[in-house]
Amino acid sequence: MRALVMTGAASLLSLAVAAPVSGVPEQWSTEPFTASVAIRAGDVNGDGKDDLVRYNINWCTVMLSSGSGFQPGQDWGGCRSGANDSSYYAYFIGDVDNDGRADAITVRPNAISSPRVRGLFVARSITDNHGVERFGTPTQWLDNTIAGDEGSLAADLEGDGDTDVIGLFTGVPPLAARSNGTATLPLIAWGPPLRGEKATLSADATGDGQADFILVDSGGTRVVPGTANRWFDTPAQWSTTAFHGTRKTFTADIDADGKADLIAVNDTDVQVMRSTGAGYSAPELWYSDSFSGTKETLTADVDGDGDADLVAVNDNDVQVLRSQ
């Protein structure tokens, strides 16, 4: 399972101390892939390669990865739940039932149009009775408020292979909506109300299978490892280097060692700081020029080699910067 989570940020350094760790941009599709709601990535057909998913108002379109390009967009059905009349909506692609296929997750607040419908809705990735791969009808997995006013994250909190959702709320602890494979368990506080000054992320940075709490500050990065104590342990200072992108700040595993690294997408370059499992190494240059999409920029393992690549979704094509 890959869950992949991102947050925009502002300003960064220009430290580049190593040879680039990527190749050159490759054009993987010339098909426009714009979306009225959101663009996400995940392995929806379980072949080990992350695909692109486009959330529209009433349906989802998928571009499957062949490992070296994206196939033409396919209609995968009405995966989305609810009218997008609140900024607190969130959309994720993650494997909630640990079957190897990423599902479509909608985080719904008490929306203006339907104030009594809230929580989590899941459209599972299935092969239907006609042998067609698609998302099933969205079903409500949680009837409670998990849409945080400071955003929502998705990650595997307990290392059980299921994608969970975390709501970030002002002044109160993050709440965790944990998947048990068929529904969401009752909400539970997962840590104190800490936030990063530049970005707040969640991924397995320590390599133990459980998602950690990553707090990107203006002068460094703190990490709260996921343990039996959830995220209530004191944050550890993993780096004192300012590291946050002018366009995007991500966490993803760029070297296939099982530990999520930090990625900064800047106006002029892309840089990474690798996780050692207990800290972040010095910044390295991933790519020495600008690389971001006009519609969306994502991290995803689109070629199935185990490490995260950078994907730029533009008005008229999709470009991929593979990690090497």
Side-chain angles (χ1 to χ4, degrees):
M1 183 208 79
R2 299 179 185 88
L4 307 178
V5 181
M6 66 183 184
T7 302
S11 91
L12 178 70
L13 66 178
S14 58
L15 285 171
V17 296
V21 296
S22 75
V24 298
E26 305 168 20
Q27 187 179 58
W28 275 43
S29 174
T30 57
E31 176 184 331
F33 202 68
T34 59
S36 58
V37 177
I39 298 173
R40 300 290 183 261
D43 181 10
V44 299
N45 62 350
D47 67 352
K49 299 181 288 290
D50 285 340
D51 314 295
L52 286 184
V53 180
R54 176 173 63 192
Y55 281 87
N56 291 307
I57 293 176
N58 296 315
W59 76 96
C60 276
T61 303
V62 169
M63 286 205 305
L64 296 174
S65 171
S66 68
S68 58
F70 290 115
Q71 300 174 24
Q74 306 171 11
D75 182 358
W76 268 52
C79 66
R80 177 173 170 264
S81 176
N84 194 26
D85 55 8
S86 168
S87 60
Y88 299 154
Y89 270 84
Y91 303 93
F92 302 108
I93 298 294
D95 184 2
V96 298
D97 51 10
N98 199 17
D99 66 350
R101 297 169 60 135
D103 312 293
I105 306 165
T106 301
V107 179
R108 258 188 101 162
N110 281 330
I112 297 170
S113 60
S114 302
R116 291 179 297 278
V117 181
R118 60 180 179 172
L120 287 181
F121 290 78
V122 173
R124 285 177 165 169
S125 173
I126 62 172
T127 302
D128 66 19
N129 293 333
H130 302 286
V132 177
E133 293 183 315
R134 63 179 179 86
F135 291 119
T137 302
T139 59
Q140 189 175 29
W141 277 38
L142 173 71
D143 180 11
N144 207 336
T145 300
I146 188 63
D149 62 330
E150 293 188 357
S152 301
L153 307 172
D156 183 1
L157 292 172
E158 299 173 302
D160 59 0
D162 298 329
T163 298
D164 310 301
V165 173
I166 307 103
L168 303 177
F169 300 87
T170 301
V172 300
L175 294 180
R178 295 165 296 155
S179 169
N180 68 2
T182 59
T184 299
L185 297 172
L187 296 181
I188 183 174
W190 208 255
L194 301 175
R195 299 292 181 271
E197 296 170 353
K198 296 298 182 180
T200 301
L201 310 169
S202 180
D204 181 15
T206 58
D208 65 354
Q210 300 181 80
D212 311 304
F213 203 30
I214 303 167
L215 310 172
V216 181
D217 299 322
S218 56
T221 302
R222 298 169 291 158
V223 172
V224 185
T227 65
N229 200 30
R230 305 190 289 276
W231 290 341
F232 284 99
D233 293 326
T234 302
Q237 192 73 47
W238 273 38
S239 172
T240 56
T241 299
F243 192 84
H244 37 89
T246 56
R247 297 194 179 183
K248 295 283 187 179
T249 303
F250 298 106
T251 180
D253 183 5
I254 67 157
D255 50 14
D257 66 351
K259 299 182 288 290
D261 311 296
L262 282 184
I263 304 161
V265 179
N266 301 301
D267 295 320
T268 57
D269 65 9
V270 180
Q271 297 183 36
V272 299
M273 287 204 307
R274 301 176 195 256
S275 170
T276 66
Y280 290 113
S281 61
E284 302 174 49
L285 185 67
W286 182 330
Y287 183 59
S288 59
D289 203 347
S290 175
F291 187 86
S292 61
T294 57
K295 295 301 181 182
E296 188 58 273
T297 308
L298 305 163
T299 56
D301 181 13
V302 295
D303 55 7
D305 64 354
D307 53 37
D309 311 298
L310 200 59
V311 182
V313 182
N314 301 303
D315 294 81
N316 296 312
D317 73 351
V318 180
Q319 300 273 334
V320 171
L321 193 60
R322 297 203 221 190
S323 183
Q324 294 182 333

